[in-house]
Amino acid sequence: MSGVSEPPQLRIITLRAQIAELGAAIRLLRQAGMDNAAAELLLVRKRAELEGLMLPGRTAKSDPPTGEV
């Protein structure tokens, strides 16, 4: 992402699109029998970021996703 801050609604839409793309990539990697750990970790982080944007009183900056499962 660039240094310019996106409006929250645009960021939510962007994150949802990225999550959908990652899900598709993970399915393809699984079908090919390849390691998908890095993609799954990124997916967890994106979901946590999206959740942070959608929960009132919590921001992605104040509670960064850790990627822990």
Side-chain angles (χ1 to χ4, degrees), residues 49-66:
E49 187 177 348
L50 177 61
E51 183 179 316
L53 287 173
M54 297 184 76
L55 290 176
R58 181 176 169 204
T59 64
K61 289 182 181 179
S62 65
D63 293 328
T66 62

Side-chain angles (χ1 to χ4, degrees), residues 17-39:
Q18 291 173 348
I19 288 168
E21 287 180 36
L22 283 167
I26 288 169
R27 282 189 296 281
L28 289 173
L29 287 168
R30 283 183 185 152
Q31 289 174 353
M34 299 177 73
D35 180 29
N36 60 9

